[in-house]
Amino acid sequence: MTKTLYLIGGPMGVGKTTVCRELNRMLPASVMLDGDWCWCADPFQVTEETKRMVLDNICHLLGNFLCCSAYDNVILCWVMHERAIIDEVLRRLSIEKCGAEVRTVSLVAHEDELRRRIEGDVRAGTRDEGAVARSLSYLPRYRDLGTELVDTTGLTPHEVAARIARTHA
């Protein structure tokens, strides 16, 4: 079986982590990395140094997963809102050496759906007040990345993951 690297991006609140957990359960011999796990800091600081650090962390783990014979499917979910982020991740990995196929998928949702989801997170205390504006400002960027687009509006995480898995089969 050929290895597959899934790079799954999307704005905050679109369901990346939940969908990728479902995809991880659906795909055989799979491993999942949430890019946020490599940058779970308090206070959360976005500087050139921290951006370099998180990218190094992600690429190190992905590289190890790709080279490990136990895994056929490697999944990364992260807010990859710029093509340069995707390209840099791919540049740092030994994709050809591992014989991996790459799938880049962007999860999107209708603006009102995304707003509703994030506002629920804000009420639950899991996101700050500025999350709605940040996420909505990133949403249009995903349509221009040259990735597969999957609209999550009105779908369960399982349905979205099944669409991603099915389009690969």
Side-chain angles (χ1 to χ4, degrees):
M1 173 178 247
T2 302
K3 282 188 181 275
T4 303
L5 171 63
Y6 293 83
L7 300 179
I8 308 213
M12 291 179 289
V14 80
K16 289 180 305 298
T17 299
T18 308
V19 165
C20 287
R21 284 184 185 139
E22 287 290 327
L23 189 59
N24 185 216
R25 285 188 279 271
M26 286 178 186
L27 296 173
S30 67
V31 61
M32 178 195 144
L33 171 63
D34 188 326
D36 290 347
W37 298 339
C38 297
W39 203 353
C40 186
D42 187 13
F44 181 75
Q45 301 174 61
V46 180
T47 67
E48 289 308 310
E49 179 185 21
T50 59
K51 288 191 286 188
R52 278 191 312 274
M53 176 211 57
V54 75
L55 199 54
D56 287 343
N57 291 344
I58 288 170
C59 291
H60 180 79
L61 290 168
L62 285 179
N64 284 343
F65 290 148
L66 283 170
C67 291
C68 183
S69 64
Y71 304 117
D72 293 328
N73 295 287
V74 178
I75 304 161
L76 169 67
C77 64
W78 198 31
V79 171
M80 295 172 277
H81 62 291
E82 297 172 353
R83 187 69 211 192
I85 296 169
I86 296 167
D87 292 344
E88 183 64 15
V89 168
L90 294 173
R91 186 188 67 74
R92 292 181 182 210
L93 298 174
S94 299
I95 303 292
E96 291 174 14
K97 179 181 171 188
C98 298
E101 172 186 327
V102 177
R103 296 263 320 271
T104 55
V105 177
S106 294
L107 302 182
V108 294
H110 294 186
E111 282 189 29
D112 55 334
E113 174 74 5
L114 192 57
R115 179 184 308 280
R116 184 189 62 74
R117 291 178 190 179
I118 297 171
E119 286 174 347
D121 291 346
V122 170
R123 282 191 300 279
T126 59
R127 294 195 196 274
D128 65 76
E129 290 286 334
V132 174
R134 283 192 311 276
S135 189
L136 289 175
S137 74
Y138 281 7
L139 185 58
R141 297 180 184 193
Y142 289 95
R143 300 193 191 283
D144 299 324
L145 290 179
T147 60
E148 298 174 46
L149 289 176
V150 178
D151 191 331
T152 66
T153 305
L155 300 175
T156 67
H158 183 83
E159 290 169 327
V160 174
R163 282 187 183 189
I164 295 168
R166 192 172 41 250
T167 58
H168 178 75

